[in-house]
Amino acid sequence: MKPFLRSLLVTAAMCAATTAYANDSVLKNQKDPNNWALQLGDYAGQRYSTLNQITRDNVKDLRVAWSFSTGVLRGHEGGPIVIGDTMFIHTPFPNTVYALDLNDRGRVKWKYEPKQDAAAIPVMCCDTVNRGVAVADGKVFLAQADNNLVALDAENGKVLWKTSNGDISKGETMTAAPLVVKDKVLVGISGGEFGVRGHLTAYDINTGKMAWRAMSTGPDKDVMIDPSKTLMLGKPIGEADLGVKTWPNDGWKLGGGTTWGWTTYDPELDLIYYGTGNPGTWNPTQRTKDGKPADNKWSMTIFARDPDTGEAKWVYQKTPFDEWDYDGVNENILADINIDGKQRKVLVNFDRNGFAYTIDRTNGELLKAAKFDPKVNWATGVDMKTGRPQTVEKFSTFANGEDTNSQGICPAALGSKDQQPASFSPQTGLFYVPTNHICMDYEPFEVSYSAGQPYVGATLSMYPAPESHGGMGNFIAYDAAAGKIVWSKPEQFAVWSGALTTAGGVGFYGTLEGYLKAFDLKDGKELYSFKTPSGIIGNVNTYQHKGKQYVAVLSGIGGWAGIGLAAGLTNSTDGLGAVGAHSSLGDYTQLGGVLTVFEVPSK
Amino acid sequence: MLSHHLKLLTIASFAIVLSAGAVTMQPSAHAEETKPAADQTAQAQPAAGEEEDLVDADGVPQYIVKDGKVDKGTYNGYRRYSATCHVCHGPDGAGSTFAPALVDSLKRMDYWAFTDTVTNGRANGASVMPAFGTDPNVMNHLGDIYRYLKARSDEKIGRGRPERFKS
């Protein structure tokens, strides 16, 4: 089908909501395309802008308008928020926040720099990243590494309130961006590699008082599940306390299921959506029940919840009994698309495990599940009746057993896609997805739990997907209605930057070498690239100021990508010591946090 | 028990090969005054039976590389390193954007300083190494982790998973 014809079948979804639901200021801000109001662009998480000054014809003239050093080394995830004349940016630890004046090329209006306990640094698995601030009702919300959730006055950066959401000494930290829904700010918790029991927590935006906390594991009461009402695959769960029964002994207390990804929201259905991470310890044998695989609920689960009460409306577990660290936190993008002749309200999730799930977001019914990287091999598919992956014995690290090295598993633990958010263009009806193209060997072994210490229990080595193009990433266009990859563009490194699509027919993403790239939404053809000062693991955004469209992105190599790929990957088939020089990220880029803002010069 | 004892004997025979110069190993270069206090040494000692007793006269863990293959302890060190340390120090001790390459650090740092840093941690501005003194997954395997990293640092083994010789 031609993209333009397809676009007729796709509704713009979500942006028309004008009910008194949601947070009115957020809704007002996201409706105005001059702003980039939320980390994911809008509540639906589409990362799509209706701005169209920058087009596939003039994007080649893009140039740097201004830039700004954040003063912080380390990995810069997330991206800038723009509301009116102000841009808000954040940094990794120490989580500095800057309000920049767009009327004065980024002059600093105010700066907030918290004094944080440095003990937070080493318990942040995989770099001291932060995925950005939320802005609502004249307040800036920041989830600090030391577990302090802070509300700042958007006018002057003064602290309005501060509350603690966790405990560093248990390995708990915060990296996720908060989301404001109505009068509540929602935040998750990190620490999946430290035996942390995950939860999503809602705080009152005006006082910082906790409204509810929904655990990811444990009794139904803690998880806020009603087994007679909460749906699983369109039917009530039925059985009580699966969050306890599907674990050995008290395993759920060290259950993982952390919530460090993104949350999206449907104001009409009044439901929030987020995913829970991997179960505690990567050694599946320690999570069996009576020696048999156990689901370890509700790790690896998409939750739909009522934002007022926290009650779970529906659940879907993507990878029951994880054996590969396919940490299920990736964003759930909300879109209305035509599936088999019917317009459906769906949620699309590009999971770490390499499957893209298209789900009816009203009730959790699974509509499509397909591989979004053809190399995915740990499962052949997903059983549409049970929703379970059809796993391949050879790649089962449990079946192969403790102290056995299972080889050639695709994808690697960092997934076919990690936290880097994808984009949906209502114009083309396609999803644009930054992906990893990396496989692994995985050897689980027994570990002991010690509070605040890593609780991993597996050794893994990663390498570029064998018998492919040799690169470690792809940037793809995906049709979620058909469950098919439309086009795929190879990249030398994993693509760890959030994508952007625009009404100008142009999309953007960043690369680990540091390139900002513009591409044609139709066919992925590269239209522009510019090498920014450091590798990009941040998310690209666009906004309009004084009638002119800009594109902005944070550079600053780091994060899991910067750790795993900095020195390059070994390819087990190349033998010991063989590392292609091309695979070493350090040869291309070094640390440094910089904001770069692009424009097409006025004629 | 018996088999374990036999294993140790086998290892001892490799150690002889080693001293005959089949594999060159750097002798521990620590100065007398950098030796940790007795209590720290005790803390660093592995639990009985947890790792091999291949150490030099000063108690510094030694590795064996034979035809490119490594002893059991060094292999265990690879696994333990890759489970705990690599999330900051990168795969194969090669370093990352977040923490230094230990293959380089161990060229300068002796076993005692290594032990002290892992046990008690270290902070240098925003660069913070946690204290692993209470982590059984690290402390019970500290000698093996050192064996592995030292072998990497001495360039006796390359990147990736080392192969173990049968003992």
Side-chain angles (χ1 to χ4, degrees):
Chain A
M1 194 188 299
K2 292 261 163 53
F4 288 109
L5 190 55
R6 187 200 308 276
S7 71
L8 297 175
L9 301 174
V10 178
T11 65
M14 313 302 307
C15 55
T18 49
T19 49
Y21 289 150
N23 180 286
D24 288 341
S25 79
V26 176
L27 273 183
K28 189 168 151 270
N29 288 339
Q30 78 169 20
K31 235 176 110 178
D32 179 352
N34 289 311
N35 299 326
W36 187 265
L38 292 91
Q39 287 293 330
L40 299 185
D42 57 14
Y43 273 137
Q46 294 185 349
R47 298 194 57 77
Y48 170 78
S49 169
T50 56
L51 296 179
N52 58 8
Q53 275 184 18
I54 299 174
T55 66
R56 51 169 73 89
D57 296 322
N58 68 16
V59 70
K60 63 180 189 303
D61 299 326
L62 212 62
R63 68 174 187 191
V64 175
W66 55 279
S67 61
F68 179 85
S69 169
T70 68
V72 179
L73 303 175
R74 309 266 79 95
H76 283 59
E77 291 186 350
I81 294 289
V82 174
I83 310 279
D85 293 335
T86 309
M87 175 186 286
F88 302 91
I89 59 169
H90 67 288
T91 73
F93 189 94
N95 305 135
T96 309
V97 178
Y98 295 96
L100 305 178
D101 186 353
L102 295 179
N103 291 325
D104 201 356
R105 297 231 158 182
R107 182 183 61 83
V108 178
K109 281 167 104 168
W110 55 259
K111 175 185 177 182
Y112 167 73
E113 187 171 357
K115 291 273 168 283
Q116 296 193 68
D117 186 347
I121 295 172
V123 287
M124 302 188 76
C125 159
C126 328
D127 207 350
T128 53
V129 296
N130 184 286
R131 299 190 188 85
V133 296
V135 182
D137 284 354
K139 298 179 186 68
V140 177
F141 298 92
L142 170 72
Q144 293 180 186
D146 65 0
N147 298 300
N148 277 309
L149 175 68
V150 187
L152 307 173
D153 187 323
E155 280 305 307
N156 54 32
K158 295 250 157 61
V159 176
L160 299 171
W161 55 259
K162 187 162 105 169
T163 191
S164 176
N165 189 47
D167 181 354
I168 299 170
S169 71
K170 288 196 227 158
E172 292 172 338
T173 53
M174 294 203 291
T175 58
L179 181 78
V180 175
V181 173
K182 305 188 208 184
D183 60 348
K184 295 185 179 65
V185 52
L186 310 170
V187 277
I189 195 93
S190 304
E193 275 57 59
F194 290 83
V196 166
R197 186 181 168 210
H199 51 74
L200 190 79
T201 310
Y203 294 94
D204 183 294
I205 57 170
N206 295 310
T207 64
K209 198 173 158 249
M210 192 193 291
W212 52 261
R213 168 168 286 176
M215 305 305 295
S216 302
T217 63
D220 286 345
K221 180 172 65 70
D222 296 6
V223 189
M224 300 181 116
I225 277 175
D226 177 345
S228 68
K229 281 195 196 140
T230 305
L231 303 176
M232 184 162 63
L233 296 166
K235 285 186 212 120
I237 294 171
E239 200 178 338
D241 295 328
L242 287 176
V244 172
K245 290 176 187 165
T246 57
W247 291 88
N249 305 319
D250 285 344
W252 55 271
K253 290 180 181 166
L254 308 174
T258 52
T259 48
W260 54 276
W262 309 96
T263 302
T264 49
Y265 174 59
D266 183 334
E268 280 177 44
L269 296 170
D270 198 21
L271 289 174
I272 54 162
Y273 305 92
Y274 69 98
T276 62
N278 56 292
T281 169
W282 294 8
N283 175 11
T285 302
Q286 284 178 272
R287 289 182 272 104
T288 53
K289 222 184 154 184
D290 307 321
K292 293 203 180 82
D295 282 356
N296 306 143
K297 285 181 178 359
W298 301 95
S299 66
M300 307 298 216
T301 299
I302 299 174
F303 275 98
R305 292 188 187 275
D306 179 320
D308 293 320
T309 62
E311 280 162 49
K313 174 83 191 270
W314 60 259
V315 289
Y316 172 64
Q317 190 178 34
K318 295 172 285 188
T319 315
F321 190 60
D322 171 57
E323 307 171 48
W324 312 270
D325 183 36
Y326 292 150
D327 203 340
V329 301
N330 290 355
E331 80 285 0
N332 299 291
I333 304 174
L334 315 185
D336 294 356
I337 58 177
N338 190 300
I339 296 182
D340 303 330
K342 249 174 94 184
Q343 194 71 7
R344 305 287 297 250
K345 287 177 185 293
V346 304
L347 154 173
V348 178
N349 178 281
F350 296 91
D351 193 61
R352 285 264 282 262
N353 71 17
F355 286 89
Y357 298 88
T358 306
I359 294 172
D360 183 328
R361 71 175 180 269
T362 65
N363 62 10
E365 186 197 337
L366 182 61
L367 303 174
K368 301 270 175 203
K371 295 175 184 180
F372 62 95
D373 182 333
K375 285 286 169 190
V376 171
N377 64 11
W378 68 281
T380 53
V382 174
D383 182 320
M384 298 303 285
K385 279 215 182 74
T386 63
R388 286 174 175 273
Q390 292 150 325
T391 54
V392 175
E393 182 93 358
K394 185 179 151 193
F395 300 117
S396 165
T397 70
F398 169 70
N400 295 337
E402 279 181 333
D403 304 321
T404 305
N405 187 32
S406 298
Q407 293 178 285
I409 304 167
C410 305
L414 36 67
S416 293
K417 175 184 166 298
D418 205 279
Q419 59 78 33
Q420 59 275 38
S423 175
F424 171 72
S425 163
Q427 268 195 348
T428 64
L430 299 178
F431 289 79
Y432 297 86
V433 193
T435 74
N436 311 323
H437 198 51
I438 298 173
C439 301
M440 68 173 171
D441 300 344
Y442 189 109
E443 178 180 352
F445 54 84
E446 189 167 339
V447 277
S448 319
Y449 174 77
S450 178
Q453 297 289 356
Y455 187 53
V456 180
T459 288
L460 51 97
S461 43
M462 303 187 286
Y463 36 86
E467 288 159 40
S468 188
H469 52 70
M472 289 172 265
N474 288 305
F475 190 83
I476 67 164
Y478 184 85
D479 181 339
K484 285 209 169 76
I485 299 166
V486 178
W487 51 255
S488 177
K489 219 175 109 196
E491 280 287 349
Q492 184 172 340
F493 292 97
V495 189
W496 215 271
S497 150
L500 166 73
T501 56
T502 69
V506 187
F508 298 88
Y509 65 94
T511 72
L512 289 183
E513 303 102 301
Y515 289 102
L516 175 89
K517 292 188 174 181
F519 65 94
D520 192 323
L521 292 181
K522 278 187 305 196
D523 52 17
K525 194 182 156 211
E526 192 170 304
L527 301 173
Y528 172 83
S529 84
F530 176 85
K531 195 165 184 200
T532 66
S534 183
I536 300 176
I537 58 170
N539 309 329
V540 191
N541 82 5
T542 188
Y543 64 94
Q544 187 162 274
H545 184 65
K546 291 188 172 159
K548 186 169 191 178
Q549 185 182 357
Y550 295 88
V551 171
V553 70
L554 286 170
S555 300
I557 193 64
W560 214 154
I563 289 166
L565 310 181
L569 294 179
T570 45
N571 192 331
S572 61
T573 58
D574 291 348
L576 292 182
V579 185
H582 68 281
S583 66
S584 177
L585 193 49
D587 293 346
Y588 293 86
T589 195
Q590 296 289 323
L591 299 175
V594 176
L595 166 79
T596 310
V597 179
F598 297 85
E599 65 179 358
V600 169
S602 310
K603 285 270 147 71
Chain B
M1 239 357 193
L2 181 64
S3 67
H4 185 66
H5 186 63
L6 278 176
K7 228 179 266 171
L8 288 182
L9 282 177
T10 323
I11 297 240
S13 66
F14 280 132
I16 294 160
V17 173
L18 185 87
S19 61
V23 177
T24 42
M25 286 180 65
Q26 292 295 317
S28 136
H30 70 273
E32 206 54 38
E33 62 274 16
T34 62
K35 255 196 177 174
D39 58 333
Q40 279 172 299
T41 318
Q43 225 178 335
Q45 287 304 314
E50 284 282 336
E51 70 177 40
E52 305 192 2
D53 294 350
L54 188 60
V55 294
D56 72 5
D58 292 323
V60 176
Q62 307 288 298
Y63 62 84
I64 303 170
V65 179
K66 216 179 72 170
D67 300 332
K69 297 180 180 178
V70 301
D71 64 284
K72 183 183 163 198
T74 303
Y75 179 77
N76 182 47
Y78 162 79
R79 293 205 311 174
R80 297 292 165 177
Y81 172 86
S82 302
T84 302
C85 320
H86 99 282
V87 297
C88 293
H89 290 283
D92 313 316
S96 76
T97 58
F98 191 51
L102 296 179
V103 292
D104 296 334
S105 303
L106 285 199
K107 292 190 200 300
R108 300 181 297 274
M109 189 182 232
D110 70 12
Y111 174 63
W112 310 105
F114 171 82
T115 299
D116 181 47
T117 308
V118 177
T119 308
N120 302 310
R122 167 197 272 187
N124 177 14
S127 177
V128 181
M129 163 89 180
F132 286 97
T134 62
D135 187 343
N137 302 306
V138 172
M139 296 312 288
N140 290 346
H141 306 278
L142 196 54
D144 283 348
I145 294 171
Y146 179 79
R147 287 184 174 98
Y148 164 68
L149 288 172
K150 188 66 181 157
R152 284 277 300 124
S153 176
D154 291 348
E155 297 175 29
K156 299 300 173 206
I157 53 173
R159 293 194 50 182
R161 168 182 295 264
E163 214 177 320
R164 226 184 102 184
F165 58 70
K166 298 272 181 266
S167 53

